[in-house]
């Protein structure tokens, strides 16, 4: 059957199934707006779900998806690569987190439909498993070194084997690590954060973690892009005795060209990529020797289709994957990470996030983490549904600035990375 639309497709479709609508559902069951794309088809009940969550600017993604819908309605849902290329190329200017999250929503929804039509989970469409489950890590944090290590100990007792540890600091007050105010009296910004103190304190944190936590514990740390290249080298060298699994986001994206020299200066494995907003930027991290672990936020680079290409690139270059998976990834996006994890020989580790029960209520089929291992859902597609009635009970707040606005500053008042 040929396509008779105004944007003709130069090949016949094997059947008559067509896209009828591309809808956006925004729900915030944990207070974090999650953007989900639902693609409906002419086949009664056949639909797909994709993750388009750019929680900090979700309204922009919703508008972008509305703009894309007319390009997709009437097309066969089977042409995933062509449809996502069409969505990307048709804007002329391309890439960036808004457009790529919108395209990711479409891409993942089309993979869901493909799986449902085949009666297979997406990981089987990708070639099937090479491992039984994804080994995951979880976040431990506390207002002090002692509290952070104690939290890590509790998580290990609960069955986790790998912990990312962040300790609070004067002036920090960022995600996962509380801060204390007024540490710099007389300074232009008395509540500021001191990089020198961070470089002193972080080795103390991991010295204590290594001495108090069980032998063999995987220890990870996230710098949150707050160092210069030389400071990053200094921190990596100071952390060498503690045998970290990886050190994350040592440099801001603006400085990524300096990553190869940081990586070469110390044996501590370097993990970067969650702030990549194009697949080419992520590929360059691999191709320039900038990373040991590539940890993209899959929806920010356009979805599963570019993600599987990066996994293949990593496989051939000795790089490992560690896909980003915070609370601002929907359960559908989290399932896409696991599909890549269990099918790629380049898998390294998976960031874990424990969704609360209310998320399971809105998204039946959401994957559960058991003893630090994440297994994919074996139902067709992602095996995850969206209860739209339940989702509607958790509307997103209008502004996310109270949560996400950057508020870490140096004692002299300079704004730092969040
Ligand atoms: Mg991070």
């Amino acid at each position: 059957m040929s396509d008779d639309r105004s944007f003709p497709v130069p090949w016949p479709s094997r059947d008559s199934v067509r896209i009828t609508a591309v809808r956006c559902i925004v729900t915030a069951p944990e207070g974090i707006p999650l953007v989900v794309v639902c693609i409906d088809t002419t086949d009664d009940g056949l639909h797909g779900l994709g993750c388009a969550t750019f929680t900090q600017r979700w309204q922009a993604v919703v508008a972008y998806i509305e703009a894309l819908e007319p390009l997709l309605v009437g097309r066969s849902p089977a042409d995933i690569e062509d449809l996502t290329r069409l969505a990307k190329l048709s804007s002329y200017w391309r890439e960036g987190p808004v457009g790529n999250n919108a395209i990711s929503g479409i891409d993942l929804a089309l993979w869901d439909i493909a799986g449902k039509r085949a009666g297979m989970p997406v990981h089987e469409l990708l070639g099937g498993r090479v491992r039984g489950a994804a080994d995951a890590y979880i976040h431990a944090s506390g207002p002090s070194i002692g509290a952070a290590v104690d939290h890590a100990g509790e998580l290990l007792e609960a069955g986790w084997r790998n912990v990312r540890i962040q300790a609070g600091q004067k002036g920090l007050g960022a995600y996962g690590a509380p801060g204390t105010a007024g540490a710099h009296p007389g300074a232009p910004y008395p509540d500021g954060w001191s990089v020198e103190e961070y470089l002193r304190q972080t080795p103390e944190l991991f010295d204590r973690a290594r001495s108090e936590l069980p032998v063999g514990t995987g220890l990870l740390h996230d710098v949150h892009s707050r160092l210069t290249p030389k400071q990053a080298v200094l921190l990596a060298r100071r952390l060498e005795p503690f045998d970290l699994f990886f050190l994350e986001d040592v440099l801001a994206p603006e400085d990524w060209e300096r990553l190869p020299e940081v990586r070469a200066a110390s044996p501590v494995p370097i993990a970067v990529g969650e702030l990549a907003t194009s697949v080419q930027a992520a590929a360059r991290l691999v191709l320039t020797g900038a990373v040991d672990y590539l940890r993209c936020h899959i929806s920010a680079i356009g979805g599963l289709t570019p993600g599987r290409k990066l996994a293949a690139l990593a496989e051939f270059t000795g790089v490992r994957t560690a896909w980003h998976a915070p609370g601002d990834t929907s359960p559908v996006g989290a399932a896409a990470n696991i599909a890549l994890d269990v099918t790629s020989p380049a898998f390294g580790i998976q960031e874990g996030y424990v969704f609360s029960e209310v998320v399971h209520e809105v998204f039946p089929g959401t994957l559960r983490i058991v003893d630090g291992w994440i297994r994919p859902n074996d139902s067709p597609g992602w095996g995850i549904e969206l209860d739209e009635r339940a989702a509607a009970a958790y509307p997103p707040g209008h502004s996310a600035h109270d949560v996400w606005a950057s508020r870490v500053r140096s004692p002299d008042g300079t704004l730092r990375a969040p």
Side-chain angles (χ1 to χ4, degrees), residues 378-400:
D378 285 334
S379 300
W382 301 121
I384 295 173
E385 283 309 325
L386 175 62
D387 182 333
E388 294 195 37
R389 190 182 301 244
Y394 304 99
H398 181 67
S399 166

Side-chain angles (χ1 to χ4, degrees), residues 126-215:
L126 297 180
R129 298 186 195 213
V130 296
R131 61 181 51 78
D135 197 2
Y137 68 90
I138 192 73
H139 297 184
S141 63
S144 64
I145 288 177
V149 174
D150 286 349
H151 186 208
E154 292 163 15
L155 291 165
L156 293 165
E157 272 184 29
W160 295 90
R161 291 168 304 285
N162 311 290
V163 283
R164 190 199 79 162
I165 312 181
Q166 312 290 125
Q169 274 192 286
K170 292 166 187 163
L172 194 54
Y175 332 131
T180 39
H184 306 279
Y189 184 59
D191 299 340
W193 174 79
S194 158
V195 66
E196 290 76 18
E197 186 172 325
Y198 172 74
L199 293 171
R200 256 196 320 275
Q201 180 188 302
T202 307
E204 289 174 22
L205 167 65
F206 283 94
D207 190 11
R208 183 142 169 195
R210 259 303 163 234
S211 64
E212 292 191 11
L213 300 177
V215 173

Side-chain angles (χ1 to χ4, degrees), residues 252-408:
E254 294 82 0
D255 300 334
W256 279 358
E257 284 181 31
R258 303 283 299 275
L259 278 170
E261 76 181 60
V262 175
R263 179 168 169 259
S266 165
V268 174
I270 297 295
V272 174
E274 71 185 63
L275 291 174
T277 55
S278 77
V279 67
Q280 290 85 355
R284 274 197 295 277
L285 289 173
V286 175
L287 293 169
T288 60
V291 292
D292 298 283
Y293 290 87
L294 183 67
R295 46 179 285 93
C296 294
H297 189 93
I298 291 298
S299 68
I301 58 161
L304 183 77
T305 298
R308 66 196 291 241
K309 295 176 186 179
L310 289 173
L313 182 64
E315 181 183 345
F316 300 131
T317 47
V319 168
R320 294 290 173 262
T321 65
W323 308 120
H324 186 232
D328 50 319
T329 301
S330 77
V332 176
N337 286 333
I338 305 308
L340 289 172
D341 292 342
V342 299
T343 55
S344 169
F347 170 74
I349 199 165
Q350 177 58 55
E351 184 171 21
Y353 178 81
V354 180
F355 289 108
S356 58
E357 286 309 310
V358 68
V359 175
H360 289 266
E361 173 203 332
V362 174
F363 293 92
T366 294
L367 302 182
R368 292 185 186 274
I369 308 176
V370 180
D371 290 334
W373 296 100
I374 316 178
R375 291 171 176 78
N377 192 325
D378 285 334
S379 300
W382 301 121
I384 295 173
E385 283 309 325
L386 175 62
D387 182 333
E388 294 195 37
R389 190 182 301 244
Y394 304 99
H398 181 67
S399 166
H401 297 322
D402 52 338
V403 177
W404 298 106
S406 298
R407 48 175 62 84
V408 179

Side-chain angles (χ1 to χ4, degrees), residues 49-98:
L49 297 177
C51 182
T53 302
F54 176 12
T55 206
Q56 293 86 346
R57 299 290 184 268
W58 61 266
Q59 299 96 330
V61 178
V62 171
Y64 204 110
I65 290 165
E66 284 173 8
L68 289 176
E69 186 185 27
L71 277 177
L72 307 172
V73 169
R75 286 287 306 265
S76 164
D79 300 331
I80 302 175
E81 182 89 34
D82 189 66
L83 288 170
T84 50
R85 276 170 57 77
L86 177 69
K88 179 186 281 194
L89 296 174
S90 296
S91 65
Y92 192 54
W93 284 278
R94 38 197 185 259
E95 306 296 353
V98 177

